[in-house]
Amino acid sequence: MSDSSYIRILRSRLPYAQFDSRPWSPPLNVFETDREMVLVIELAGVDPATLQIEAYPEVVRIAGARQLSLPAGLRRLHRMEIAAGVFQIEVPFERPIDPEQTSARSVHGLLEIRLPFAGRVRRQVVIPVAEGERP
């Protein structure tokens, strides 16, 4: 059987990893405390130095890549569930966070990102209507 036949089989049978150029999403836990949002992302095999983390008041974006090599002399794939290639995650927030205070650390393949909430932000703003003539 040719390599392209194996790839077609793998694409048709989940939970096998797919061989395409779309970014994949690693498993993610999102926790909220009184003071911050905490994200824990499973990134075994990803070099933390290659991660890109962008924090904004309303969203955080995490991107990177995991490279997996196939064994020399490979004849057949029996199971391939570990995603590889480029990945990307975007997590929106209901409450604004403070990007300046965000921190990240990687321990044993788990990336933990701490995103403290921004100072008091009012969800509703009352805008007074002034009377008078146009300027």
Side-chain angles (χ1 to χ4, degrees):
M1 194 179 280
S2 71
D3 289 343
S4 61
S5 297
Y6 284 116
I7 291 171
R8 277 196 304 277
I9 290 169
L10 290 175
R11 284 186 175 167
S12 67
R13 296 180 61 202
L14 294 176
Y16 297 98
Q18 294 191 3
F19 296 90
D20 60 27
S21 60
R22 292 179 300 180
W24 57 279
S25 294
L28 164 72
N29 292 342
V30 180
F31 305 102
E32 180 176 342
T33 71
D34 290 339
R35 299 170 41 166
E36 65 188 353
M37 297 297 293
V38 179
L39 309 181
V40 179
I41 306 159
E42 188 256 288
L43 292 175
V46 175
D47 180 357
T50 65
L51 295 172
Q52 298 172 332
I53 304 171
E54 298 175 0
Y56 301 91
E58 67 285 342
V59 69
V60 66
R61 292 185 186 104
I62 303 105
R66 175 166 43 207
Q67 302 302 322
L68 297 177
S69 57
L70 298 176
L74 176 70
R75 291 184 48 207
R76 186 177 303 165
L77 293 171
H78 288 270
R79 191 171 190 111
M80 189 164 180
E81 296 181 6
I82 301 171
V86 174
F87 69 85
Q88 182 176 320
I89 304 173
E90 187 171 293
V91 181
F93 306 115
E94 291 180 14
R95 281 178 63 185
I97 57 106
D98 183 352
E100 301 291 328
Q101 300 301 316
T102 297
S103 63
R105 67 185 181 129
S106 178
V107 179
H108 303 296
L110 294 175
L111 174 66
E112 180 184 89
I113 303 174
R114 294 189 166 271
L115 303 129
F117 291 120
R120 295 205 89 182
V121 176
R122 292 160 81 168
R123 291 226 177 254
Q124 180 181 9
V125 177
V126 176
I127 301 173
V129 177
E131 289 187 38
E133 295 182 25
R134 288 188 176 171

